[in-house]
Amino acid sequence: MAEACLAKLLVADDEPVILELIAASLTHAGFEVTTVADGTSALASARAEQPDALILDVMMPGLDGFEVVRKLRAEGNETPVVFLTARDSAEDTVHGLSVGGDDYVAKPFKLDVLIARVHAVLRRSGARVANPADVLTIGDIEVDEERHVVRKAGVEVNL
């Protein structure tokens, strides 16, 4: 039986409380999460880890989020990016999208909205990732609505 593929996310934010909150929420939503606290680490981690999507603060030490995306795009890296930032002017939003961001979320934000936006950019990118909400589990029976598969005690049931 093939395991469901969890999306790997890289979250970069220099505010430890926000970073921890986002990481915990995304992990609870079924994502595999790596965190970093500055732009230089975000760039290095994005190159090394090859995540399915990035969530980047704009204002970080080292490199800002815009510069991280500029460098990745210049290398041909098209990993989806959601900017998460206190910079909420229309000009900042336009700039973030024009440097290669796929979405732009202003702080303060709602966690469920951030998670929905991450799912949306992953869907648009064509990533095949598991959405835990698509799997209904009752006892040892799992119904995976997305893949039209039923499992009992981990064994696929031939319908």
Side-chain angles (χ1 to χ4, degrees):
M1 172 184 84
E3 285 294 312
C5 176
L6 297 176
K8 295 187 308 183
L9 304 179
L10 172 63
V11 181
D13 197 305
D14 63 331
E15 296 179 50
V17 173
I18 290 178
L19 190 61
E20 184 178 332
L21 177 67
I22 293 169
S25 297
L26 291 168
T27 300
H28 180 71
F31 294 104
E32 181 182 323
V33 180
T34 300
T35 60
V36 296
D38 63 80
T40 305
S41 298
L43 182 60
S45 187
R47 289 171 172 159
E49 302 288 328
Q50 300 180 345
D52 296 303
L54 305 163
I55 299 172
L56 299 177
D57 186 12
V58 172
M59 299 180 293
M60 293 184 290
L63 300 170
D64 71 24
F66 293 152
E67 191 60 27
V68 170
V69 173
R70 249 189 236 104
K71 289 181 179 288
L72 290 172
R73 297 300 188 247
E75 297 168 2
N77 184 323
E78 294 298 321
T79 302
V81 174
V82 176
F83 286 115
L84 181 64
T85 179
R87 293 175 61 174
D88 63 353
S89 73
E91 293 81 15
D92 287 325
T93 302
V94 169
H95 182 67
L97 297 173
S98 68
V99 298
D102 297 279
D103 205 343
Y104 197 97
V105 178
K107 296 176 182 175
F109 61 95
K110 294 185 183 274
L111 285 167
D112 56 343
V113 171
L114 176 62
I115 292 167
R117 287 176 182 252
V118 169
H119 277 289
V121 298
L122 288 168
R123 220 177 16 256
R124 287 193 302 264
S125 74
R128 285 285 293 164
V129 295
N131 179 355
D134 290 338
V135 179
L136 173 65
T137 304
I138 302 170
D140 65 346
I141 298 173
E142 297 176 3
V143 178
D144 185 334
E145 295 178 33
E146 175 73 22
R147 290 167 189 79
H148 304 287
V149 173
V150 176
R151 293 182 198 89
K152 177 157 175 58
V155 177
E156 191 170 319
V157 176
N158 186 0
L159 301 173

